[in-house]
Amino acid sequence: MSNLDQAPDFIRTIVAEELANGKWQGRVITRFPPEPNGYLHIGHAKALAIDFGLPAEFGGRCHLRFDDTNPTKEEQEYVDQIMADIRWLGFEWGAHLYYASDYFEQLYQWAVQLIQAGKAYVDDLTAEETRDYRGTLTEPGKPSPCRERSVAENLDLFARMRAGEFPDGAKTLRAKIDMASPNLNLRDPVMYRIRKAAHHRTGDAWCIYPMYDWAHGQSDSIEGITHSLCSMEYEDHRPLYDWFLDALGIYHPRQIEFARGNLSHTVVSKRKLLQLVNEGIVAGWDDPRMPTLAGLRRRGYPPEAIREFWKRVGVGKTPNLIQVGLLEHCVREELNQRAPRMLAVLRPLKIVIDNYPADQVEQLVAVNNPEDPAAGTRQIPFTRELWIEQTDLMENPPKKYFRLAPGAEVRLRYAYLIKCVSVVKNERGEIVEAHCTYDPTTLNSNPTDRKVKGTIHWVAVPFARPAEIRLYDHLFLSPKPDEAEDWKAQINPHSLERLTNCYVEPALAAAQPGAHVQFERAGYFCADTDSTPTQLIFNRTVSLRDTWGKIEKAEAADK
RNA sequence: UGGGGCGUGGUGCAGUGGUAGCACACCAGACUUUGGAUCUGUGGACCGAGGUUCGAAUCCUUGCGCCCCAGCCA
């Protein structure tokens, strides 16, 4: 797609150096470790691009591992959806599909090993007490009364925890590290909690479940991961992972942290996304306004554009807020290359070409994609009555308006030059129809005696197919909705405009759901999942760059 | 205020001792049967203060600012 070669980011630089020095015996094995408790979103796409992209460059591989250590939040449905989304984005894990839950027994044995070494203990503190004992950012914690239990007692208690003798929350297994550590993660972190809940994969086999911190590093170790890539928030956890791996005496991957990519005008927190869905603010997880991969797909964002976007953003460690405009640029760039051009009228206004024979139909030749000669041409019918865009006709046009107006001449795309002779208005003074004349000599040529600057699109009335077109805009008005006092107050009331009275050219009747198309002069659109030949529905993926719109806005601002 | 991380044009990234680059955005122009695309050009940045050096975005000192951490979530 893009051939601009960027400087390697700091992670690639590190890996390249290691490989040059013979570290890892040439292996580069990463993993993408989602929790199956929600949908993947645009931010995950960055991690995906890094986790799968890095080994692809160095001849390694990336594992897909579900971090399914919390049965109360995870479901098979999410597992399936996540796999589908990753494949759609263009990444493949082959045979390397894993689950943290596959390691539950090994993790249990390792926990026993830590207890035997005097490095873990069973604690009776409640959740609230545990918090109180942990101390604060500035004050050290204090040891639990259970901290000095004997190895034998701990072993016995832990076995009984597994056996289901204690109710939920009654006991935990904790690592015995340092209650005074300035790094809160080292203040005797919980390794196991009791949860008498069925797990989507292990069923009722377990009633104690490992915490993420206890499971993650060891899972990476088991799989022989060389580079555990994760976001900056885990930098504070690295000393803990190292402590576990050292205490166990097992293989150490190298963890490298990078900054997550934050998108402007967007929220991605699971809680907020869920709220948007549950409160009916959007139509579902795959609503085209959602930042989920499912939503972006339905909106018409090509996976190539999403990958290119993250490639251009790069990888760093700085907290960031990326303008959503860059993503939209990447979408336009991709679609410009491959989306067939079509004519569609969003807000129709009928024009009658008075000097064109009433029963005549001409088949005119239209170019399918000026960026791709191989896309060929098609025929479009031309008749005396046409639909044009309401915004393409003004009775009293401002300066620099190149479209239709009484007395003004304009080019009909792929057809003739027409001149507006009169307009018909309703009782409210709105233009409901216009009469024009055409110049029969201007079909594939321009007159030499005058210059016509504007070109507008149209659809022949007798052949037009009705369609619904959904215009989407940013879901949030504010670039940083998360920082607003009330994030929901930032929701754009016009994020969806449904136009139900649109007309599209006949060829569009065959558009398959998911098909990308450019409606000339309007934008890139995508046939919706629910679109059928008799009930056409198109989603606006992104508008075309709109120079005229910009001029209009600027002049409106001047007044 | 304990610990960790980070400060380069509006935004995102390069540059780690030798004239500060790229992309998006912005502005201007060329071209155009999409006010699309394409092409050309302009403007604009090293968080501050000291210091080392012939020379500092880069090294040192110090100050300031932003982000993350006190789930039996991941």
Side-chain angles (χ1 to χ4, degrees):
Chain A
M1 185 163 165
S2 164
N3 53 6
L4 85 168
D5 269 340
Q6 294 185 317
D9 57 68
F10 77 99
I11 298 177
R12 283 167 224 276
T13 304
I14 289 172
V15 173
E17 276 174 14
E18 288 177 340
L19 258 32
N21 295 334
K23 200 172 174 187
W24 311 115
Q25 294 82 46
R27 288 175 306 139
V28 176
I29 305 172
T30 61
R31 100 272 95 130
F32 178 72
E35 182 190 16
N37 73 337
Y39 280 58
L40 256 26
H41 56 68
I42 183 71
H44 291 114
K46 177 180 185 179
L48 250 356
I50 294 171
D51 290 338
F52 279 92
L54 185 87
E57 249 176 65
F58 292 95
R61 64 170 190 262
C62 179
H63 297 181
L64 171 60
R65 182 181 67 245
F66 287 95
D67 271 334
D68 52 352
T69 56
N70 186 350
T72 62
K73 293 189 174 177
E74 297 149 7
E75 295 170 24
Q76 184 61 38
E77 179 209 333
Y78 290 125
V79 171
D80 298 337
Q81 182 68 40
I82 287 170
M83 291 199 285
D85 285 345
I86 296 173
R87 287 208 171 96
W88 172 75
L89 236 203
F91 299 113
E92 185 51 60
W93 53 90
H96 298 281
L97 172 64
Y98 305 98
Y99 295 84
S101 52
D102 288 339
Y103 312 137
F104 281 177
E105 184 60 38
Q106 172 67 267
L107 255 9
Y108 180 85
Q109 295 304 330
W110 273 332
V112 169
Q113 185 183 328
L114 250 40
I115 293 171
Q116 286 167 335
K119 293 180 176 176
Y121 62 96
V122 172
D123 198 353
D124 301 344
L125 255 33
T126 65
E128 303 76 60
E129 289 167 334
T130 304
R131 191 195 319 128
D132 292 340
Y133 276 70
R134 186 156 31 228
T136 68
L137 292 179
T138 51
E139 303 158 28
K142 55 187 178 184
S144 161
C146 309
R147 201 171 196 260
E148 300 306 330
R149 280 216 251 242
S150 69
V151 168
E153 191 183 1
N154 281 322
L155 250 17
D156 172 61
L157 256 14
F158 189 46
R160 289 162 61 194
M161 278 170 67
R162 176 177 185 171
E165 282 190 33
F166 310 109
D168 282 10
K171 295 188 188 312
T172 58
L173 182 74
R174 294 230 258 164
K176 193 170 176 180
I177 307 180
D178 177 8
M179 287 307 292
S181 171
N183 181 346
L184 269 34
N185 295 122
L186 265 22
R187 319 244 263 227
D188 289 11
V190 172
M191 295 163 62
Y192 278 95
R193 73 288 217 189
I194 300 173
R195 281 271 185 292
K196 294 186 172 166
H199 184 280
H200 69 99
R201 294 192 74 247
T202 60
D204 295 321
W206 295 85
C207 64
I208 58 172
Y209 290 93
M211 295 290 289
Y212 171 87
D213 276 344
W214 167 243
H216 194 80
Q218 281 73 261
S219 299
D220 283 351
S221 179
I222 289 169
E223 293 176 23
I225 301 300
T226 57
H227 301 273
S228 301
L229 310 177
C230 60
S231 48
M232 294 303 294
E233 58 198 294
Y234 291 105
E235 194 153 31
D236 284 342
H237 296 240
R238 180 152 35 95
L240 173 57
Y241 302 156
D242 287 338
W243 188 91
F244 282 140
L245 263 13
D246 286 342
L248 259 17
I250 59 177
Y251 165 82
H252 272 248
R254 198 233 266 218
Q255 174 169 306
I256 303 175
E257 306 85 7
F258 60 87
R260 317 168 26 158
N262 306 304
L263 242 205
S264 75
H265 305 274
T266 306
V267 301
V268 291
S269 94
K270 234 154 244 176
R271 194 193 106 242
K272 288 174 181 164
L273 258 20
L274 198 60
Q275 218 172 324
L276 290 171
V277 172
N278 289 342
E279 295 178 14
I281 296 166
V282 298
W285 285 101
D286 69 341
D287 183 293
R289 290 164 293 180
M290 290 286 272
T292 52
L293 295 184
L296 297 174
R297 174 170 60 232
R298 188 166 182 180
R299 174 82 171 258
Y301 279 30
E304 294 86 348
I306 295 172
R307 285 190 255 122
E308 175 67 15
F309 164 68
W310 286 119
K311 180 180 170 189
R312 290 201 190 194
V313 165
V315 183
K317 301 179 73 150
T318 315
N320 57 64
L321 183 69
I322 303 145
Q323 295 173 336
V324 70
L326 179 58
L327 211 209
E328 292 166 347
H329 167 82
C330 292
V331 171
R332 288 192 186 99
E333 183 180 63
E334 172 69 22
L335 259 15
N336 177 48
Q337 294 305 313
R338 64 185 228 209
R341 273 58 169 174
M342 295 282 170
L343 301 185
V345 174
L346 279 55
R347 298 175 179 86
L349 171 70
K350 185 185 285 185
I351 63 168
V352 181
I353 301 174
D354 294 332
N355 60 339
Y356 193 87
D359 51 357
Q360 183 169 318
V361 177
E362 279 182 275
Q363 294 295 334
L364 305 182
V365 176
V367 174
N368 286 331
N369 185 348
E371 302 296 321
D372 177 15
T377 60
R378 69 185 183 286
Q379 292 195 318
I380 50 177
F382 184 86
T383 58
R384 172 184 164 97
E385 295 197 342
L386 306 172
W387 296 115
I388 66 164
E389 211 68 67
Q390 285 169 22
T391 50
D392 284 339
L393 171 63
M394 283 186 87
E395 196 174 16
N396 299 298
K399 292 240 182 304
K400 291 195 276 186
Y401 183 81
F402 305 148
R403 284 109 95 148
L404 217 46
E409 194 172 27
V410 76
R411 162 73 62 183
L412 287 177
R413 180 74 158 155
Y414 299 124
Y416 303 94
L417 252 33
I418 57 168
K419 184 177 286 185
C420 177
V421 293
S422 66
V423 299
V424 180
K425 296 187 193 176
N426 63 13
E427 60 285 355
R428 289 196 298 274
E430 299 159 344
I431 298 175
V432 293
E433 188 179 300
H435 287 264
C436 303
T437 56
Y438 85 115
D439 180 343
T441 69
T442 56
L443 182 52
N444 281 311
S445 66
N446 281 313
T448 50
D449 60 335
R450 59 196 193 274
K451 187 159 185 190
V452 174
K453 196 153 187 183
T455 299
I456 65 173
H457 57 274
W458 52 275
V459 177
V461 171
F463 297 92
R465 301 298 173 108
E468 173 176 335
I469 295 180
R470 298 172 180 169
L471 303 181
Y472 294 102
D473 198 356
H474 303 150
L475 225 202
F476 293 93
L477 268 1
S478 160
K480 308 177 189 179
D482 284 314
E483 288 183 12
E485 55 306 322
D486 175 9
W487 69 278
K488 280 200 282 183
Q490 297 304 316
I491 291 174
N492 178 3
H494 308 296
S495 62
L496 166 60
E497 185 179 1
R498 287 180 57 184
L499 304 176
T500 53
N501 186 31
C502 312
Y503 291 109
V504 301
E505 65 167 271
L508 251 5
Q512 296 298 308
H516 299 287
V517 60
Q518 182 197 100
F519 290 160
E520 295 212 25
R521 302 209 304 136
Y524 294 99
F525 293 77
C526 176
D528 188 71
T529 322
D530 295 336
S531 185
T532 66
T534 52
Q535 196 79 275
L536 293 169
I537 305 172
F538 295 94
N539 296 321
R540 182 171 68 192
T541 305
V542 64
S543 65
L544 249 23
R545 279 186 61 226
D546 182 8
T547 312
W548 170 246
K550 225 179 264 178
I551 294 171
E552 264 186 322
K553 246 181 211 172
E555 294 193 345
D558 281 348
K559 288 170 186 169

